[in-house]
Amino acid sequence: MSDLLELSLPTGTDLAAVRAVLRDHALTSGMTARRVELLVLAVNEAVTNVLDHGGEGGRLVARAGDRGMVVEIMDEGGTLLPEHLRRLPAPNPTRGMGLFIIRSVCDRVDLDHPGGHSRLRLYMDYAGPIAH
C-alpha cells in the first residue's frame, strides 16, 4: 500500500480542514482511532509552527505504507534546527510545547534541510504502543 496525500500550506491555511483531511486519510489507511488522534495532534503542532515561523508557508505530504504513515511537513524558512527538537519545555509553559508534543506522541521524528527548507518527518505505526 502506498497512498499519498499532498496539501499546500499557504499562510492562512484552515487548520481544521488539514486535521479533517489527515484524519480521514489515516483512518482509511488502517490506523487505529487513538493513534490517528495522536498523529493529528502532532501534525497540527507542526503545521502551526510552519504557519507561525516558516516564512511563506510550506507543504504537507502524507504517505501510507504497510506498517504505518509518514507525514512530511516542509517549510520555506528552513530555520528549524535539531536543537529545537531536543529542547525541553520550560516550567509552566504558555507556549513553545509543539515540538515536545510531536516527539512525545510520534514513533519517530526526523529533521533535514533539503534545498534550504526545513523538513520534519513524523512516523506513526497503524497500531501498537508509542515507542517512547
Side-chain angles (χ1 to χ4, degrees), residues 66-117:
D66 293 332
R67 292 188 52 220
M69 292 186 70
V70 178
V71 181
E72 295 180 356
I73 300 96
M74 186 176 303
D75 72 40
E76 300 297 324
T79 59
L80 184 61
L81 300 173
E83 50 268 23
H84 295 135
L85 289 175
R86 293 188 294 266
R87 190 178 299 157
L88 294 175
N92 303 313
T94 57
R95 56 181 284 119
M97 294 283 297
L99 294 171
F100 178 77
I101 290 169
I102 291 166
R103 283 192 349 262
S104 297
V105 303
C106 292
D107 292 313
R108 188 171 115 208
V109 178
D110 292 333
L111 171 66
D112 65 357
H113 294 88
H117 307 291

Side-chain angles (χ1 to χ4, degrees), residues 34-81:
R34 173 68 180 139
R35 292 181 68 76
V36 167
E37 293 310 315
L38 293 172
L39 179 62
V40 168
L41 171 64
V43 169
N44 183 78
E45 294 297 329
V47 170
T48 298
N49 283 346
V50 167
L51 297 176
D52 288 349
H53 309 290
E56 296 179 20
R59 70 184 178 110
L60 179 148
V61 177
R63 288 182 182 83
D66 293 332
R67 292 188 52 220
M69 292 186 70
V70 178
V71 181
E72 295 180 356
I73 300 96
M74 186 176 303
D75 72 40
E76 300 297 324
T79 59
L80 184 61
L81 300 173

